[in-house]
Amino acid sequence: MTVSETSSRIHLLDQATVNRIAAGEVIERPASVVKELVENAIDADARSVRIELTTDRQGICGIRVSDDGTGMSPDEAPLAFTPHATSKIAGIEDLHTIHSLGFRGEALASIAAVSKVTLVTRHRGAGTGTRMVIEGGEIRERGEMGSPEGTSILVEDLFYNTPARKKFQKGKNTEIAAVHAVIEGICLAHPGISFRLLTDQREQLLTDRSTSMLDTIARIYGSDVAARLIPVRKKLPFMAVSGFVSPPDLSRKDTARMHISVNKRFVSSPPVIAAVKEGYGTLLPRDRFPVAFIDLTIDTHLVDVNVHPAKKQVRLSNEKEITSAVSEAIRSTLLGRNLIPSANAPHPYGGYARPRVDAPGLPVVYEFPDPGPAGVSEPTHTGTVSTDRQLRQTELDSGTRADTWHVPAMEVIGQFGGIYIIAANRFGELFLVDQHAAHERVMYEMVSRGTGTGRLSQELLVPVVFQRTAKESAILRELMPALADGGFEIEEFGRDSFIVRAIPVFLGKIEDMGLIDEMIGDLVGEERIREPDARERVIRVIACRGAVKAGTVCSAEQSQRLLNQLRQTENPFTCPHGRPTMIRFTRDELDRMFRRI
Ligand code: ADP
Ligand code: MG
């Protein structure tokens, strides 16, 4: 055995391997230095990692990352700063089985090239440590030094020798925020390691070593958020999904709280983000996003980590299978849950419901901020349709009933404002149910599944002819197959003119022919264009137009039938646009409002 073999695990990669490694700028800003140093600490088997930032007026001027990992031997230390020297892979073929975060042996060399680095490291079990100072890539000092086991790397004067030095820092707060984002992502993917972040000696973040990501989430985002999350767990032959997702009412207007890691690597992955959102289906409006922390464990052969210079992305080989497994895992998890928003829960569309105080100290009404996504635009009652007939159409025969009911039986107490059914269950919970949203959900599921009279059509006594603009006609033409599938019989009838011969039974006996024209307007209107696909668009319009309207006075018996139908849906909690169908008040909440407790 040669001396170098015994003393160094770090070696130079051969040229062929170097050529195949995704090249590009690794160090763009202080946060990229932090990311690389922390990843090295994790790869070195650290149990705790400490990150210290110092700032001046311009931005971050010093970064120190210390760990209690394996450390480096005196021979390894200089090699670590040599370009393309790594202990993590031997050649390109190892990239298919990579379990470390680093693999290209470039980070320390890139950092040292543009800053002043001071390294102190002691190899596990070694008697003494090594200290090295490197400036602009040149070793300035090197010697023995007593130190604890592990490694500490201090980076100063970042970009001191790069001409456009300023361009690398976008302002102090932006850079600090970028470091936070990096650390949060890494913490979440590595709950087993304790991380501590200090800025100018003030502690910003501390996570304890834990076996559960939930502890880390609680540390970073607060235990009130963590307490509401729903665990997701699914194992498949080629992958496993685990993590936590929010109930739909804890949603946001952006994807900033959707964290994805693949094999413990925190990544930005638009396809996986989209898959998580997809898992919510109609539980969320299209412009709202859940809070989600998802960790995917995927066979390393299916993950290409060598696609992005800063390793922020990965390429998934079986992307379609992987993303549909993610959606399915989330969908089935959510379906098994009671997702009724309670009066005291955060409002689905942001913020908390706040009691509006009319008389001093007397909470009267719960007021929700903001009208919600795109407001609620829906047809109002015209007095021409029979509620009984509408409800009859959505009555299920026993054969097609969902086998699990997500909501306990409710008894109707009354109706308020021609729209809200008031009901209670035997667990002492009070419900306000939006009758239109509820019936819309029932119809939506029936048309989707093609059960009941969902897709049947009825001929019009007198066919209706209507005219549209060229643009709308083009959209309508694209919708033709989906319309036929949904029970419409429509044909083109001259230039940009159409004839409707039959409509879905669900829509009832339409006496006012203007309604058909209005509905076609719904279908081709801008508002709907963004909906998932043609078929979905048609189904939603049928459900919306066919459902019991707001402003319809329902008898107790009719209301009861509607609630029973709603209970049998797969997702009774929201309408197809993601608005809630019901809001719950527990006895406790009411008692609190009345200051009984
Ligand atoms: P890579 O991580 O891709 O191997 P780096 O330039 O980040 O490349 O690091 C080079 C080598 O230095 C690593 O392969 C590792 O052997 C060693 N090294 C870096 N940081 C540490 C650390 N904190 N503890 C122990 N060894 C380290
Ligand atoms: Mg590295």
Side-chain angles (χ1 to χ4, degrees):
M1 228 183 249
T2 66
V3 174
S4 74
E5 267 175 320
T6 48
S7 58
S8 176
R9 295 155 302 154
I10 306 179
H11 46 261
L12 286 173
L13 293 172
D14 60 57
Q15 197 53 44
T17 303
V18 169
N19 291 345
R20 289 184 51 191
I21 274 178
E25 205 156 11
V26 181
I27 303 304
E28 303 170 308
R29 63 197 302 187
S32 17
V33 173
V34 172
K35 175 172 188 280
E36 294 296 338
L37 296 181
V38 173
E39 286 189 353
N40 280 344
I42 295 170
D43 284 346
D45 198 25
R47 291 150 62 94
S48 72
V49 181
R50 180 185 171 105
I51 305 107
E52 291 159 275
L53 306 179
T54 43
T55 68
D56 59 17
R57 255 187 298 131
Q58 267 106 61
I60 297 173
C61 56
I63 298 166
R64 189 204 301 271
V65 174
S66 331
D67 66 58
D68 58 356
T70 55
M72 287 178 262
S73 70
D75 293 333
E76 287 169 337
L79 261 179
F81 291 89
T82 310
H84 309 302
T86 180
S87 57
K88 299 170 193 174
I89 61 168
I92 200 80
E93 62 289 345
D94 290 345
L95 282 180
H96 302 300
T97 52
I98 196 123
H99 290 281
S100 55
L101 296 170
F103 52 84
R104 24 177 99 109
E106 267 187 306
L108 289 185
S110 310
I111 294 168
V114 296
S115 66
K116 177 183 170 193
V117 174
T118 308
L119 163 82
V120 177
T121 185
R122 178 154 72 99
H123 199 229
R124 261 184 205 165
T128 180
T130 304
R131 178 173 183 272
M132 241 170 63
V133 177
I134 304 151
E135 253 182 83
E138 304 287 328
I139 299 178
R140 300 276 185 227
E141 290 173 39
R142 183 179 168 189
E144 266 188 22
M145 184 175 162
S147 80
E149 280 183 357
T151 302
S152 151
I153 295 183
L154 170 66
V155 176
E156 293 165 300
D157 297 340
L158 190 58
F159 305 124
Y160 78 100
N161 54 356
T162 30
R165 178 182 175 192
K166 272 239 174 75
K167 89 168 199 233
F168 294 100
Q169 296 218 24
K170 293 199 180 104
K172 184 166 156 174
N173 291 337
T174 314
E175 296 306 328
I176 291 178
V179 170
H180 276 249
V182 161
I183 300 294
E184 285 171 13
I186 293 178
C187 287
L188 290 165
H190 297 273
I193 299 174
S194 155
F195 293 91
R196 188 163 182 212
L197 170 65
L198 300 116
T199 301
D200 296 321
Q201 273 150 50
R202 242 171 305 143
E203 186 173 280
Q204 306 291 324
L205 185 108
L206 173 69
T207 67
D208 301 318
R209 305 186 63 205
S210 160
T211 48
S212 167
M213 186 202 264
L214 198 57
D215 293 326
T216 313
I217 297 171
R219 272 300 179 138
I220 302 178
Y221 301 109
S223 41
D224 46 339
V225 170
R228 301 210 55 221
L229 297 179
I230 302 165
V232 177
R233 200 162 284 279
K234 178 143 193 156
K235 255 189 132 64
L236 292 155
F238 60 100
M239 72 178 295
V241 183
S242 73
F244 296 87
V245 295
S246 63
D249 62 284
L250 194 69
S251 70
R252 294 171 53 93
K253 66 174 189 331
D254 57 37
T255 58
R257 284 281 174 280
M258 297 177 75
H259 289 271
I260 310 294
S261 54
V262 174
N263 295 342
K264 298 271 165 201
R265 185 187 302 277
F266 171 59
V267 290
S268 98
S269 174
V272 177
I273 295 272
V276 172
K277 162 85 167 136
E278 166 98 24
Y280 280 75
T282 52
L283 281 171
L284 278 177
R286 61 174 170 253
D287 55 355
R288 299 295 304 184
F289 299 90
V291 173
F293 304 91
I294 295 293
D295 185 38
L296 304 181
T297 307
I298 307 177
D299 183 336
T300 54
H301 289 93
L302 299 177
V303 182
D304 186 356
V305 290
N306 184 28
V307 292
H308 187 276
K311 299 168 291 180
K312 284 179 187 158
Q313 286 168 7
V314 291
R315 189 183 298 128
L316 305 173
S317 293
N318 297 22
E319 188 175 293
K320 209 91 217 74
E321 277 107 315
I322 291 171
T323 51
S324 40
V326 169
S327 299
E328 184 43 39
I330 286 166
R331 203 185 81 90
S332 52
T333 304
L334 293 170
L335 278 180
R337 286 281 163 153
N338 185 346
L339 299 171
I340 310 166
S342 113
N344 278 335
H347 184 251
Y349 311 128
Y352 279 77
R354 259 186 305 277
R356 193 185 78 205
V357 179
D358 278 356
L362 208 61
V364 180
V365 190
Y366 270 78
E367 254 186 349
F368 292 117
D370 173 51
V376 181
S377 85
E378 63 189 35
T380 42
H381 185 53
T382 52
T384 54
V385 279
S386 134
T387 308
D388 266 335
R389 191 194 46 73
Q390 285 174 311
L391 289 170
R392 199 161 49 239
Q393 264 153 17
T394 43
E395 214 75 74
L396 280 173
D397 37 355
S398 45
T400 49
R401 221 163 254 164
D403 13 315
T404 41
W405 291 18
H406 301 292
V407 193
M410 290 184 244
E411 203 165 306
V412 171
I413 297 170
Q415 191 204 28
F416 173 73
I419 174 68
Y420 298 115
I421 298 172
I422 307 164
N425 66 17
R426 64 189 171 89
F427 305 106
E429 294 172 323
L430 181 75
F431 294 86
L432 293 181
V433 180
D434 178 324
Q435 70 190 27
H436 175 72
H439 200 215
E440 208 178 356
R441 162 55 66 185
V442 174
M443 284 208 156
Y444 170 81
E445 289 196 5
M446 291 188 89
V447 186
S448 294
R449 281 199 301 259
T451 47
T453 54
R455 303 261 179 87
L456 296 182
S457 57
Q458 54 179 337
E459 250 174 68
L460 294 174
L461 284 178
V462 187
V464 179
V465 178
F466 62 88
Q467 187 86 37
R468 285 278 151 184
T469 65
K471 188 178 157 212
E472 289 172 338
S473 301
I475 299 170
L476 200 54
R477 261 173 233 123
E478 272 171 43
L479 290 177
M480 287 297 200
L483 282 164
D485 195 39
F488 285 93
E489 240 177 73
I490 304 186
E491 283 160 38
E492 220 163 337
F493 191 68
R495 184 143 175 253
D496 296 337
S497 171
F498 298 83
I499 182 163
V500 186
R501 297 186 197 283
I503 59 172
V505 171
F506 260 1
L507 294 173
K509 292 261 170 295
I510 295 188
E511 279 126 63
D512 176 3
M513 290 309 160
L515 276 180
I516 293 189
D517 197 42
E518 257 178 46
M519 191 163 48
I520 298 296
D522 279 0
L523 281 164
V524 297
E526 288 299 333
E527 163 69 6
R528 307 264 172 198
I529 303 297
R530 284 176 292 151
E531 259 162 28
D533 63 14
R535 188 172 167 269
E536 184 73 13
R537 207 192 303 175
V538 170
I539 294 172
R540 289 188 191 179
V541 168
I542 297 174
C544 181
R545 286 280 163 179
V548 174
K549 306 288 179 282
T552 309
V553 177
C554 289
S555 68
E557 191 263 329
Q558 288 170 334
S559 301
Q560 190 66 58
R561 275 166 75 187
L562 178 51
L563 292 187
N564 290 346
Q565 291 177 8
L566 179 66
R567 287 183 58 224
Q568 294 169 45
T569 59
E570 222 180 305
N571 166 17
F573 311 110
T574 61
C575 81
H577 311 286
R579 291 192 299 274
T581 51
M582 56 182 126
I583 292 181
R584 174 187 54 185
F585 297 78
T586 63
R587 179 62 202 265
D588 260 11
E589 283 163 353
L590 291 172
D591 286 349
R592 234 186 292 276
M593 286 184 229
F594 284 104
R595 302 277 153 91
R596 285 177 168 276
I597 48 176

